[in-house]
Each structure stands twice: as C-alpha cells, then as structure tokens.
Amino acid sequence: MDAMRFHRAAVLIAACMAICTGAAAEEFRLEDVPAVAGVPIAEIKPRTVIFADQRNDKLADSSTGLIPFDDWARSRPVQRRFLSLFASFVEPTLNQQTKLKLSVYHAEARFRLPRPATALDLSRYANVAFLEQIDPAVKHRPITAGDAVPNKDAGAAHNRPPNRRWCEDETAICVQSRYMFEGKIPAGIQLANKLRDEGKKPIPDFIEFQSEITLAAQPQLAELPSLTGLDSTVAGALEQNIFWVNQVIQFGKLLAVLQQHPTEPEAAIATVYILIAVRNDVLNKQREYTNTPILRNLVPAQLLMGKSSFNSGDSLSAGLPKYARGRVKAIADMMERE
C-alpha cells in the first residue's frame, strides 16, 4: 500500500512539474495592432504583447517607411518630449550652416503582468545583464563620463543635454556596445567598399554605440500617463538613451513604463517605446546603390526596414521592425518571470 501511494504521489509530482515547466517555457505571443492606445486594457490577453509601429502611419515617407523628424516632432509633441534624446533636442546644424535632417522609426508595445505594479522592481534591469538578455548578439562594456563621445567631442556636442553630461548621474550606468552584422550584410558591405571611390572611409561591418541606462524619477514619473494614455499610477520607468552611434543612426531611445492596472489590483500594465532617429544624408547618399544591380538590395532604408534580401537573423541585421518586436517580447518574458 505504501509503495502504491508513493507511486501515485510521484506521478502527481511529475505531472505538476511538466505542467509548470510548460507554462514557464511558453513565450509571449505578439499581436500587431493599428495603435496600442486603441486596444482597451480589458482586452489585453495574458502573455500577449500588442505591438504597433509607424510603417503605415500617414506621416511615413512612402520611399523609406520612416517619418521625417520635423513632422513627427510637430504633430506629436508629447512623444517628442518623452522619446527624443532629451526634451529640447532638435535636428543639429553641422559646420554652422547645414542642418542634419533626420527620420524616425517609432514602435510601441503593451502587455499585462499578473502582479501589482509595486511588486515589480525595474531597478533589476538597470544593468548590463539586462541588455545581454534582450539581445545576446550585442556585446557591451561599461564606460564612464570621460568615455562618452558627446561629452568630449565638439562635433557630437549636439547630442548632449543642455543641463548635464552623460554618465555623471551616480544612479545610471553607461555602456559601449558593438554588434557585428550577420548573414549576407558583411559580404555586401565588403563589395560596396570595393566599389567606393578611393579616399572615402570604408563602411564598417558593425554598429557601435554608447548609451546610458537609468530609472526615471519625479516629476517625470507623474507626467508619463500623458504619454501612455493610461490613467493609473506609474510605479516606475526604465530608460535607455543611445547618445552616440558610429554610423547611420543619430540617436535611439527605449522607454519602459510600468503602471498599476486600472481595474485589477493584482495586475500591472507595461508599455514599451522604441524610437530610432536615422540620418537622412546617409539614406540619400547611398541611394546610388539602386543603380548598381548587385547592390540594389543594400540600400540603407530597405535594410533598416527589413525589406532587403540581405536581412537575416533576429537582431539588427533583421531590420528595425523585427528587431523591435524581438526586443519587446524579450522584455515581457523577463518581467513575467520576475
């Protein structure tokens, strides 16, 4: 009898472990929607990320799929305030005469978490380990304020906030990151470099960037519902500002906002924003590739939007839309497991 009871107990434990393990392994499902704010909170299903980006936005340029920075800043001042590199950022003027025109890729996502917002600690993600988990293909190393390019290079000073230097806040961490392009892109870059005029700098086969990761504080926390459109208490917000990039991109921003669920005391709502500002001079200059059959699919706008035969993988080589989707899903999985 004891042996039978032991056997039954063992079977029950094994079944429970199988069920629990299966639930834990289940990834978030991503659901594309026209606009995140248009989905009622009550309709967000468990373990589902609702996602929207600007590719079909009325402001998007038909040839690039990106939104001109000026149009975005003028028509969406609340987004500009919270998602620009800093609130007063404008398109910089180079050599005291030429304005550097930019275009933006904007994505936002929202998901439900089965715990009160106060039970979730965003400070756990303000570190290099967080960056490594959401995209293992990118390698990082810590840097200091003295390493931050806009702090020491006059040519990059327009990417520095007017009232402070990057990386000097003792609560923030700063990193230098490098991503080596994958798939066919390195071979395409190598060929493009061979066809470039002598004396021109070669196009790197990697993206290198510097960023600051910090937790938002008051009064910004109290003001974030104007961005999310969700009228509930903000428990915290995690921000990554990419303030220097070696090519193509001018700046980037990731902002994750955690709010209490408006009607469920034991649940929270997370909204994640990704904004990438791209240099138009690079987009326009390298449109010359369209006249070279072998390089026709290496046009930067196509690569950025994931519409080239050179796109591959799940990281930046896949293009911004796929990269943004993968990143928000990884963030949702991490927060769900906390």
Side-chain angles (χ1 to χ4, degrees):
M1 184 66 69
D2 289 342
M4 290 180 62
R5 288 174 179 168
F6 177 81
H7 177 72
R8 288 174 182 171
V11 170
L12 288 172
I13 291 171
C16 180
M17 289 180 66
I19 292 171
C20 295
T21 302
E26 182 187 353
E27 291 186 353
F28 269 76
R29 184 175 66 89
L30 192 143
E31 180 181 328
D32 284 286
V33 297
V36 165
V39 179
I41 296 299
E43 295 182 11
I44 300 178
K45 302 171 186 176
R47 303 196 66 78
T48 299
V49 175
I50 58 171
F51 179 94
D53 66 14
Q54 91 311 322
R55 285 184 295 172
N56 296 318
D57 195 292
K58 61 183 180 181
L59 297 178
D61 184 289
S62 59
S63 65
T64 65
L66 302 167
I67 300 176
F69 179 89
D70 273 349
D71 293 347
W72 171 75
R74 182 175 55 256
S75 63
R76 286 152 198 184
V78 176
Q79 287 186 7
R80 176 191 181 180
R81 177 185 173 193
F82 291 104
L83 301 181
S84 283
L85 189 57
F86 45 87
S88 61
F89 180 89
V90 295
E91 290 176 320
T93 299
L94 306 178
N95 304 320
Q96 298 182 339
Q97 56 183 359
T98 305
K99 177 173 280 192
L100 179 62
K101 302 300 291 181
L102 305 174
S103 295
V104 301
Y105 171 81
H106 169 242
E108 55 188 59
R110 182 168 284 170
F111 50 91
R112 180 186 182 279
L113 295 167
R115 282 182 296 284
T118 53
L120 295 156
D121 182 10
L122 290 184
S123 67
R124 295 181 56 183
Y125 308 120
N127 50 56
V128 171
F130 167 73
L131 298 178
E132 290 174 339
Q133 289 186 62
I134 62 175
D135 188 0
V138 183
K139 306 306 177 185
H140 314 275
R141 64 177 177 85
I143 60 172
T144 66
D147 301 313
V149 173
N151 290 350
K152 59 183 181 179
D153 184 347
H158 45 254
N159 269 24
R160 189 177 70 230
N163 58 342
R164 72 180 184 95
R165 294 181 357 131
W166 293 112
C167 310
E168 288 190 328
D169 186 338
E170 61 183 16
T171 64
I173 70 160
C174 280
V175 294
Q176 180 144 333
S177 310
R178 175 177 283 216
Y179 169 72
M180 302 297 298
F181 287 119
E182 301 170 272
K184 302 176 181 178
I185 295 179
I189 291 175
Q190 186 177 22
L191 179 58
N193 283 331
K194 288 182 179 179
L195 297 176
R196 284 168 72 85
D197 295 335
E198 289 186 14
K200 285 188 176 181
K201 290 184 178 180
I203 303 168
D205 61 356
F206 60 89
I207 288 279
E208 194 160 47
F209 55 96
Q210 296 179 339
S211 62
E212 179 187 81
I213 305 170
T214 188
L215 297 173
Q218 298 293 4
Q220 183 182 7
L221 286 179
E223 297 166 348
L224 280 169
S226 65
L227 173 67
T228 65
L230 184 60
D231 187 17
S232 68
T233 302
V234 176
L238 180 72
E239 190 171 0
Q240 180 188 17
N241 286 296
I242 300 174
F243 53 77
W244 174 82
V245 190
N246 70 323
Q247 61 170 324
V248 183
I249 295 169
Q250 183 67 22
F251 73 84
K253 167 93 78 171
L254 182 147
L255 177 64
V257 183
L258 187 65
Q259 293 177 264
Q260 179 58 40
H261 194 292
T263 60
E264 298 181 29
E266 298 303 312
I269 297 293
T271 309
V272 180
Y273 300 88
I274 294 175
L275 187 120
I276 303 293
V278 181
R279 296 173 56 126
N280 285 4
D281 61 344
V282 177
L283 297 179
N284 296 332
K285 186 186 302 181
Q286 294 181 4
R287 281 181 181 174
E288 63 198 39
Y289 291 169
T290 59
N291 298 321
T292 306
I294 199 168
L295 295 178
R296 192 165 290 158
N297 286 327
L298 202 62
V299 175
Q302 291 181 354
L303 282 170
L304 284 167
M305 300 307 289
K307 295 182 177 181
S308 168
S309 61
F310 283 85
N311 289 118
S312 63
D314 297 311
S315 189
L316 287 166
S317 292
L320 294 177
K322 187 173 182 179
Y323 175 69
R325 284 166 169 77
R327 204 170 189 194
V328 296
K329 280 184 64 179
I331 292 171
D333 281 323
M334 289 178 67
M335 288 186 174
E336 172 86 357
R337 292 195 302 266
E338 183 178 320

